[in-house]
Amino acid sequence: MPEESSAHTELENERQYVAGLYHRLDELRDEKREQLAQVRRSHSAGSHQNRSERDAFATMYEDRLAQLMAVDDRLVFGRLDLDDGETRYIGRIGLSTADLQRLMVDWRAPEAGTFYQATAFERQGVRRRRHLMLKGREVQGLEDDVLDYSMLEEGQDLQGEGALLAALNSKRTGQMSDIVGTIQAEQDRIIRAPLPGTLVVQGGPGTGKTAVALHRAAYLLYTHRERLKSAGVLLVGPSNAFIRYIERVLPSLGETGVVMSSLGQLMPGIAATAEESAEAAEIKGRLSMADVVARAVANRQRNFTEPRRLNIEGTWVTLTPKQVSRARDRARATGKPHNEARVTFVKILLRELTDQMTEILEESAGAGNSTDRAYLAEDVRSSRDVRVALNLCWMPLTPEKLISELFSKPGQLEAAAPELTDAEREALRRSPDAPWTEADVPLLDEAAELLGELDASAGRDSAALEEARKRDLANAERAIENTEGFLEDSGAHGILSAEDLANHNMATEQRLTAADRAAVDRTWAFGHVVVDEAQELSAMQWRLLMRRCPLKSFTVVGDIAQTSSAAGATSWQQALDPFVGERWTLEELTVNYRTPAQIAEAAVRMANAAGLVVSAPKAVREGLWAPFLDEVQQGGLLPRLLETLTEDLAAIEGGLLAVITEDHRLEQVREEVTAVYGNRVGTGAGGLSQDIVVISPREAKGLEFDAVVILEPSELLTAAAGKVGDLYVAMTRPTQRLRLIAEYGIPAGIDGSES
């Protein structure tokens, strides 16, 4: 009874303290809202410096308010009792009183590191580590790790199932949760590793690679704020479904300024789909394709075989191959991209044609007569024959046009890629209106780098800037005219001018964060790049990413054994050595926190039987079920699926179940399951109302589910050039239960057999 009373007192004390933390959080939110409102109420007139200062304050308050709004869930999760008597609370952000008395330490701060690193053998001054389990804003339970055993003699006790196991056993929701309260020591060491250089985090399924990558991004932004706030951090994932799955994690860790992108979105303005042809993906992913694109650009800087006669206002002039060749050489010598160097090419030839025109007209007019050269220069510039000739020699190009024509016009591809076989060139053939694929994105980016801006003077011409300003004012005037009635009713008529509105719109654009600007700027140089499922990247995709971060500051996470892309890596050396040499370090995660031991061991046996050597991280827990292996007669795949779904859903008690199958079956399987379960069925990581998803192995990468059903596992083995990765990935997605249904046999090793 006394022990129960003591536990209740401890719980109530923690509830009171946590209530105080939330009260302070609400105070800060109100404070930032009021400060932001005051800034917004201030008039936009005044000097440019005044407006800039106002906008800077507005951005600061907006960012801080966004951070404060994102950390409500499980605001505080830990407490340290130290040898010197200090009690230190650990949470998502740092909190202090109005007079700067510290209430809670940000989990990324150096003094919070002992929460993750201290052990009974190396206490680091910690007597007790307490985990606080919250539901909403209220503490529901406590769990104490007593590191100083003298505390047990004082009547302290260890209670609860353990914060880590509680988190592992919780139901999946279709959105990834952070692990900030349960980071383990080997994970924490990697998260807090130094910023410079390329850090590779190798880990088998369930080891928390993605969680480590996300928490490392948050840690680096906190620790290196000055450097990374302006340059930004880019996080790259394997699919849009994966990005949706992880998108809430970083805001919950107090960071809202990270650019998150799938591989198909790395070229602004392009939303690419998966590459259907494994052969085409492999060819496009070769590093030699950079040379192919460079040749394709050079081949669009052409020459005539014979002199060309041009009509300028009734006067005939001659453009010779020698003139074109000389102008082309001088333009190339500038070292500028294609479209920018074209300006030099055109200027040279226009001047030479103007000189020729002047000579012809002066000769015909007789000695002593001079021709108005300025007038003639305009005639030459506007001549249709001249424009056509110059464009034939050096056409301005967009990346989309270059790559589309490269793959849709056999002659261009043959000229640019003579090293490819006829079969390889045929594999790259596509129609001009075919959708862009993920394998095309690095080629488009390469082309953009070589071509440069289509309008070389865009953004630098003061006349153009003035014209843009006039357009902004005209748009503002129209906006005020269209809302005149509303302004009059609101009492603002005559107060808000078109110039005020134009200034406000310009200021709004200037207030964009580094992350906002970086997301739409292909040439942005990030301060750090995090790459998840990095084993899937082709050499050309790596080349693109290296261009995004010239400092080569990377966190690379993945598992070579899970490679399923035809263009993916077979080793980290193969992936990284061409770009960073030996200047990368390798860390390995060795504990499987997600997958129950029975399922993890079956996946490893399958991979080994198929000839793949995989790391076998130790599972931290036994599951309730070994894998269910259902072999059915031909035509029995879907009936068996529908028959067992009820049982599997009941077993996971409201958790999330994934049906994983090859692409050619997806539509039929989704239709059959939807006919029974309606809007409970979704795709990707699912939605809030969906507890069943039907997806491909590729879409499942990086995701996790309470239960997984794999249809025809042998197909996953034979797809994608027979790589084992697809089936290995699919088998290691569940946190509780796995079922395989097969018409053509269960692959060797899964049931413990060797053949």
Side-chain angles (χ1 to χ4, degrees):
M1 193 70 175
E3 290 181 6
E4 185 176 327
S5 175
S6 174
H8 179 73
T9 301
E10 284 289 308
L11 184 61
E12 286 303 314
N13 289 340
E14 297 295 6
R15 284 175 174 170
Q16 289 180 22
Y17 193 88
V18 170
L21 292 175
Y22 275 107
H23 178 72
R24 180 57 179 158
L25 178 67
D26 291 337
E27 284 183 342
L28 290 171
R29 288 173 174 175
D30 291 341
E31 177 184 299
K32 297 307 167 191
R33 286 192 189 100
E34 177 57 30
Q35 290 172 332
L36 183 57
Q38 287 180 2
V39 168
R40 287 173 173 169
R41 284 194 297 266
S42 64
H43 200 273
S44 60
S47 68
H48 176 71
Q49 180 177 347
N50 289 341
R51 290 196 298 271
S52 296
E53 289 176 355
R54 183 206 62 186
D55 294 339
F57 277 115
T59 300
M60 180 178 68
Y61 296 145
E62 287 168 351
D63 290 349
R64 180 58 171 163
L65 184 57
Q67 181 191 56
L68 293 171
M69 297 302 295
V71 297
D72 201 274
D73 185 42
R74 293 175 296 150
L75 172 67
V76 57
F77 50 81
R79 167 181 146 176
L80 293 174
D81 294 339
L82 306 179
D83 286 342
D84 61 6
E86 179 189 355
T87 297
R88 185 181 298 165
Y89 283 85
I90 312 298
R92 297 180 177 279
I93 58 173
L95 285 179
S96 299
T97 63
D99 59 355
L100 302 182
Q101 297 297 310
R102 188 166 65 182
L103 299 173
M104 183 172 72
V105 178
D106 191 301
W107 69 274
R108 295 164 290 186
E111 55 265 47
T114 51
F115 183 78
Y116 305 107
Q117 299 157 3
T119 67
F121 299 102
E122 192 173 340
R123 294 194 299 109
Q124 301 183 38
V126 177
R127 302 193 72 200
R128 175 172 62 183
R129 172 173 48 224
R130 169 167 287 176
H131 297 268
L132 308 177
M133 274 75 85
L134 275 65
K135 184 175 182 180
R137 290 188 164 200
E138 185 172 278
V139 181
Q140 297 291 306
L142 310 174
E143 188 229 326
D144 288 342
D145 297 335
V146 177
L147 306 184
D148 180 358
Y149 291 112
S150 66
M151 292 187 73
L152 297 178
E153 300 173 2
E154 301 168 8
Q156 302 291 342
D157 195 11
L158 185 65
Q159 50 187 303
E161 67 168 327
L164 176 61
L165 289 177
L168 296 177
N169 290 325
S170 63
K171 299 290 186 292
R172 306 303 106 175
T173 64
Q175 288 279 347
M176 184 178 181
S177 299
D178 61 74
I179 61 167
V180 65
T182 57
I183 294 171
Q184 302 301 293
E186 73 169 2
Q187 296 172 327
D188 186 72
R189 185 186 70 254
I190 295 170
I191 289 168
R192 297 174 190 268
L195 171 65
T198 297
L199 174 67
V200 178
V201 184
Q202 161 70 35
T207 53
K209 299 184 296 296
T210 298
V212 167
L214 292 170
H215 289 69
R216 176 161 170 76
Y219 170 78
L220 292 176
L221 280 163
Y222 174 88
T223 308
H224 304 278
R225 179 73 61 186
E226 292 305 313
R227 169 176 163 180
L228 295 181
K229 185 177 181 180
S230 58
V233 171
L234 172 65
L235 190 149
V236 179
S239 66
N240 292 337
F242 177 84
I243 296 299
R244 289 193 297 272
Y245 175 62
I246 67 171
E247 64 187 356
R248 296 183 185 176
V249 174
L250 281 165
S252 76
L253 297 173
E255 292 299 341
T256 57
V258 175
V259 176
M260 291 189 283
S261 174
S262 66
L263 291 169
Q265 297 175 312
L266 285 173
M267 180 78 176
I270 300 292
T273 61
E275 181 68 68
E276 293 184 2
S277 166
E279 184 180 5
E282 188 277 324
I283 298 168
K284 291 177 182 179
R286 297 174 187 172
L287 200 55
S288 59
M289 287 300 292
D291 295 329
V292 172
V293 176
R295 287 189 215 111
V297 173
N299 290 345
R300 304 304 286 269
Q301 300 164 6
R302 296 172 289 207
N303 202 344
F304 301 117
T305 56
E306 300 289 339
R308 190 178 182 93
R309 297 275 287 165
L310 307 176
N311 187 316
I312 304 174
E313 296 290 325
T315 301
W316 290 91
V317 297
T318 302
L319 181 63
T320 67
K322 185 175 181 180
Q323 287 175 306
V324 173
S325 179
R326 184 168 59 245
R328 184 179 61 184
D329 291 344
R330 290 177 62 183
R332 286 176 172 175
T334 66
K336 295 179 179 179
H338 173 92
N339 290 326
E340 297 176 29
R342 181 181 182 274
V343 175
T344 300
F345 175 80
V346 169
K347 282 181 178 178
I348 292 171
L349 291 183
L350 287 178
R351 185 171 61 248
E352 292 192 4
L353 291 173
T354 300
D355 289 343
Q356 188 179 149
M357 181 87 165
T358 301
E359 290 178 12
I360 293 172
L361 292 179
E362 287 182 349
E363 284 181 8
S364 64
N369 292 316
S370 61
T371 304
D372 186 347
R373 187 180 178 89
Y375 177 81
L376 288 182
E378 180 57 34
D379 284 348
V380 172
R381 185 182 298 107
S382 60
S383 166
R384 182 181 182 279
D385 277 12
V386 171
R387 292 201 309 271
V388 169
L390 297 185
N391 281 340
L392 285 173
C393 293
W394 196 307
M395 174 74 78
L397 289 167
T398 64
E400 292 85 350
K401 183 176 178 63
L402 180 81
I403 301 301
S404 178
E405 292 186 354
L406 179 65
F407 291 149
S408 62
K409 296 183 176 181
Q412 289 195 18
L413 183 57
E414 184 175 359
E419 70 271 27
L420 296 181
T421 66
D422 291 341
E424 288 174 328
R425 285 195 286 269
E426 184 60 31
L428 296 179
R429 283 281 301 276
R430 51 171 281 158
S431 65
D433 57 352
W436 296 111
T437 69
E438 289 177 357
D440 292 324
V441 168
L443 306 182
L444 290 166
D445 189 77
E446 191 74 23
E449 192 73 9
L450 296 172
L451 293 174
E453 294 293 334
L454 193 59
D455 180 0
S457 63
R460 293 188 291 271
D461 189 339
S462 59
L465 290 175
E466 182 60 30
E467 187 63 31
R469 175 65 176 170
K470 290 178 181 177
R471 287 197 304 270
D472 289 342
L473 282 171
N475 290 336
E477 287 170 354
R478 284 194 296 271
I480 288 178
E481 288 173 5
N482 293 335
T483 58
E484 191 167 357
F486 169 78
L487 292 173
E488 191 164 348
D489 292 341
S490 64
H493 183 65
I495 297 176
L496 181 65
S497 69
E499 187 167 358
D500 290 337
L501 185 57
N503 286 338
H504 172 76
N505 291 338
M506 183 181 295
T508 300
E509 292 178 5
Q510 292 172 345
R511 286 205 308 270
L512 292 175
T513 65
D516 294 329
R517 298 195 303 273
V520 296
D521 184 353
R522 189 197 66 82
T523 63
W524 190 272
F526 288 93
H528 191 76
V529 176
V530 179
V531 189
D532 203 352
E533 300 294 343
Q535 74 279 353
E536 301 297 336
L537 270 62
S538 69
M540 285 300 293
Q541 287 169 330
W542 277 116
R543 182 176 170 90
L544 180 158
L545 290 179
M546 293 292 166
R547 188 177 291 129
R548 295 290 194 275
C549 186
L551 293 175
K552 305 292 191 293
S553 180
F554 279 77
T555 298
V556 175
V557 300
D559 180 15
I560 291 296
Q562 295 186 53
T563 303
S564 58
S565 169
T570 57
S571 71
W572 294 119
Q573 287 85 353
Q574 177 205 17
L576 295 172
D577 282 1
F579 306 102
V580 298
E582 298 180 354
R583 298 184 299 279
W584 55 275
T585 57
L586 178 67
E587 292 279 1
E588 187 162 4
L589 294 168
T590 60
V591 180
N592 184 339
Y593 300 100
R594 176 179 64 223
T595 317
Q598 303 98 311
I599 296 174
E601 290 164 4
V604 170
R605 289 196 304 268
M606 179 281 301
N608 290 340
L612 180 67
V613 178
V614 300
S615 57
K618 182 180 179 182
V620 300
R621 62 197 173 106
E622 292 285 329
L624 296 176
W625 304 283
F628 295 87
L629 310 178
D630 297 350
E631 295 192 62
V632 298
Q633 298 295 320
Q634 191 168 355
L637 210 61
L638 285 174
R640 181 58 177 163
L641 170 65
L642 296 175
E643 179 185 340
T644 57
L645 270 179
T646 303
E647 175 188 341
D648 291 334
L649 287 167
I652 59 176
E653 299 177 332
L656 186 61
L657 180 145
V659 180
I660 302 179
T661 187
E662 275 300 310
D663 288 336
H664 71 94
R665 296 181 185 273
L666 281 175
E667 185 175 352
Q668 182 187 6
V669 173
R670 195 171 290 131
E671 288 177 356
E672 294 278 352
V673 177
T674 302
V676 178
Y677 292 94
N679 61 10
R680 291 174 63 184
V681 181
T683 59
L688 294 177
S689 63
Q690 296 165 337
D691 55 2
I692 306 170
V693 294
V694 181
I695 56 175
S696 68
R698 179 185 170 280
E699 292 176 301
K701 277 189 178 296
L703 308 184
E704 59 182 36
F705 309 94
D706 296 287
V708 167
V709 179
I710 300 174
L711 298 184
E712 206 56 76
S714 60
E715 284 187 346
L716 275 63
L717 269 181
T718 56
K723 290 198 174 184
V724 180
D726 278 354
L727 181 55
Y728 185 60
V729 168
M731 288 184 66
T732 54
R733 297 307 94 194
T735 64
Q736 296 187 48
R737 189 176 174 97
L738 172 66
R739 182 184 300 274
L740 296 90
I741 306 177
E743 290 181 5
Y744 300 105
I746 301 294
I750 294 178
D751 62 356
S753 66
E754 297 300 321
S755 61

